[in-house]
């Protein structure tokens, strides 16, 4: 008999949770209702079940209430956009193209025309509180990343399943690249700069080390979600996540495919830690020369740690049975057994240590 849930994945990062999560959840739901985003059956139930305020609270445990709420609202907007376009009556690619055509000008300007639909008006409301704090270059990049994510998230129709299967058969790497772009993590990494009350210099953001670290973080987040949700993806015979893709392409049973994904996640954690040393160990001259840029960089990298640890906890909690009770402080309990942080990951952590000027100790945070 297959267990209801896969073995817990250990990640070598501290886990904290913002105490304002319940308030952010209430405000997110109220915001979605006011903007008429919950206009089809069960949409509200799915939004509540997604617990996106908890994911926001894990990612930004120190954020003040209003900023935490904005981050949760952006996660909610991403979720509801995908949820709406994933409904059977709206699943076709032309529906997505129509939605993209409506929201792309709003991403560019931060404003919605009077004729804009609910998704557009909600997006303009959110951007109207974020864009004034950010520069023109950041806004342009954020718009481009958001639109690119939506284009890669265009769902396939039922008739596309055989082609999708052949695509996966052509190479796991093609799936990984697509999943990385469709997962919505890159816009969130840019929003982390807003949450950090600043902007990364272009020289850092466009650098090879930052590209390495953001790709590794996006993969860990996406694959962790795939790992925990795989046993629920039974609606189609086509692979629907990395576990299914590996099972199909490498002719593996479920348990072996899950173990392979868990191993890949740990490999990407090691890649992340290596890129972190390059980025914060002198590889980024701009950050070292500019204390303010260095502070923003450290805050953004800390948010990456939090998002990986938080996604693991959030995804695990979402697949648990209803009788599972989380600890009151939201921290790990050590349950799950079986998997351990690999020695090579522990070695990387020992070598890296704390980044220069780390200031989280006073807040009671442990550097991962």
């Amino acid at each position: 008999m297959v267990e209801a849930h896969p073995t817990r994945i250990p990640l070598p990062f501290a886990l904290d949770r913002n105490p304002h999560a319940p308030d952010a959840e209430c405000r997110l739901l109220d915001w979605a209702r006011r903007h008429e985003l919950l206009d089809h059956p069960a949409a509200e139930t799915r939004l509540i079940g997604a617990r996106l305020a908890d994911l926001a609270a894990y990612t930004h445990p120190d954020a003040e209430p209003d900023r935490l709420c904005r981050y949760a609202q952006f996660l909610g907007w991403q979720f509801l956009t995908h949820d709406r376009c994933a409904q059977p009556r709206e699943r076709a690619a032309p529906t997505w193209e129509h939605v993209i055509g409506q929201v792309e000008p709003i991403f560019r300007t931060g404003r919605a025309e009077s004729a804009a639909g609910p998704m557009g008006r909600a997006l303009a409301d959110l951007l109207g509180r974020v864009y004034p704090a950010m520069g023109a270059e950041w806004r342009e990049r954020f718009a481009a990343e958001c639109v690119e994510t939506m284009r890669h998230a265009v769902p396939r129709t039922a008739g596309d399943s055989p082609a999708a299967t052949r695509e996966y058969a052509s190479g796991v790497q093609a799936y990984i690249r697509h999943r990385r772009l469709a997962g919505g993590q890159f816009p969130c990494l840019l929003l982390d700069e807003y949450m950090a009350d600043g902007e990364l210099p272009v020289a850092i953001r466009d650098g090879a080390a930052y590209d390495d670290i953001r790709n590794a973080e996006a993969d860990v987040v996406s694959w962790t979600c795939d790992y925990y949700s795989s046993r629920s993806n039974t609606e189609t015979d086509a692979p629907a996540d990395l576990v299914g893709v590996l099972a199909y392409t490498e002719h593996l049973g479920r348990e072996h495919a899950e173990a392979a994904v868990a191993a890949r996640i740990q490999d990407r954690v090691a890649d992340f830690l290596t890129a972190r040393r390059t980025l914060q160990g002198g590889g980024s001259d701009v950050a070292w020369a500019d204390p303010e840029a260095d502070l923003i960089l450290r805050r953004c990298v800390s948010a990456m740690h939090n998002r990986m640890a938080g996604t693991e906890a959030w995804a695990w909690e979402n697949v648990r049975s209803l009788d599972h009770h989380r600890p009151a402080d939201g921290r790990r309990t050590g349950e799950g057994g079986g998997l351990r942080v690999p020695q090579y990951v522990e070695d990387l952590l020992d070598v890296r240590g704390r980044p220069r000027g780390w200031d989280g100790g006073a807040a009671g945070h442990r550097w991962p």
Side-chain angles (χ1 to χ4, degrees):
M1 178 178 177
V2 177
E3 293 292 331
H5 312 296
T7 303
R8 190 85 183 259
I9 301 175
L11 295 181
F13 303 121
L15 181 67
D16 293 293
R17 185 172 182 269
N18 195 303
H20 302 295
D23 179 62
E25 183 70 31
C26 292
R27 293 174 64 179
L28 169 59
L29 187 59
D30 178 67
W31 178 79
R33 288 169 175 161
R34 283 190 291 107
H35 288 284
E36 302 177 324
L37 301 182
L38 308 174
D39 65 344
H40 61 77
E44 181 168 321
T45 300
R46 283 193 289 272
L47 178 61
I48 293 172
R51 298 175 42 255
L52 297 175
D54 280 347
L55 181 57
Y58 283 134
T59 307
H60 293 286
D62 296 323
E64 51 88 17
D66 286 344
R67 290 209 176 201
L68 179 68
C69 182
R70 286 166 204 160
Y71 191 86
Q73 286 172 349
F74 181 69
L75 295 179
W77 189 90
Q78 287 183 315
F79 174 85
L80 289 169
T81 301
H82 188 276
D83 184 65
R84 173 175 298 195
C85 292
Q87 297 307 303
R89 71 180 185 275
E90 298 181 351
R91 188 174 174 82
T95 299
W96 273 83
E97 294 298 333
H98 177 69
V99 171
I100 292 171
Q102 284 189 323
V103 302
E104 184 170 5
I106 299 173
F107 274 119
R108 302 290 178 191
T109 64
R111 298 184 299 274
E113 300 295 335
S114 58
M119 300 304 301
R121 291 194 298 270
L123 178 62
D125 174 71
L126 176 58
L127 298 182
R129 288 171 287 146
V130 172
Y131 275 11
M134 310 306 286
E137 189 278 335
W138 184 94
R139 296 195 299 268
E140 181 178 351
R141 190 180 294 255
F142 183 75
E145 292 282 15
C146 289
V147 171
E148 184 73 3
T149 293
M150 294 183 71
R151 293 197 185 282
H152 279 83
V154 173
R156 297 181 175 90
T157 61
D160 293 332
S161 294
T165 301
R166 288 195 296 273
E167 176 185 330
Y168 296 146
S170 68
V172 174
Q173 289 306 313
Y175 170 84
I176 288 174
R177 287 192 297 271
H178 176 83
R179 182 75 172 89
R180 185 184 297 159
L181 291 168
Q185 187 59 20
F186 290 161
C188 291
L189 293 179
L190 282 168
L191 199 59
D192 288 341
E193 296 180 34
Y194 165 77
M195 299 295 288
D197 201 23
E199 296 179 35
L200 288 174
V202 175
I204 294 178
R205 202 191 292 129
D206 287 347
Y210 194 79
D211 192 54
D212 287 343
I213 200 172
R214 77 168 197 152
N215 286 342
E217 188 263 10
D219 288 345
V220 170
V221 167
S222 298
W223 300 354
T224 299
C225 291
D226 282 5
Y227 176 84
Y228 283 119
S229 66
S230 177
R231 297 186 185 185
S232 300
N233 292 332
T234 58
E235 297 179 0
T236 174
D237 291 335
D241 49 56
L242 186 57
V243 174
V245 169
L246 290 181
Y248 180 86
T249 59
E250 300 182 9
H251 309 290
L252 301 174
R254 172 173 294 279
E255 291 185 2
H256 286 89
E258 288 177 351
V261 171
R264 283 173 177 256
I265 289 171
Q266 295 290 2
D267 287 343
R268 290 304 272 156
V269 169
D271 293 339
F272 175 91
L273 295 170
T274 298
R276 189 187 80 184
R277 180 171 69 170
T278 301
L279 191 65
Q280 296 186 302
S284 179
D285 295 336
V286 176
W288 289 117
D290 183 350
E292 182 177 352
D294 189 48
L295 177 61
I296 298 302
L297 176 61
R298 287 189 283 110
R299 287 174 175 172
C300 288
V301 172
S302 181
M304 293 181 187
H305 296 140
N306 295 336
R307 182 62 181 266
M308 288 186 285
T311 296
E312 192 280 327
W314 170 80
W316 167 257
E317 292 158 2
N318 277 354
V319 302
R320 293 284 285 163
S321 58
L322 294 177
D323 61 350
H324 171 67
H325 299 288
R326 286 181 289 154
D329 63 359
R331 295 181 184 275
R332 304 175 189 215
T333 63
E335 63 181 322
L339 298 175
R340 290 178 53 83
V341 175
Q343 182 64 47
Y344 67 90
V345 174
E346 293 181 349
D347 291 343
L348 285 167
L349 285 167
D350 291 341
V351 170
R352 274 60 171 168
R354 299 184 179 186
R356 185 185 65 164
W358 169 248
D359 58 358
H365 298 160
R366 295 173 290 134
W367 175 251

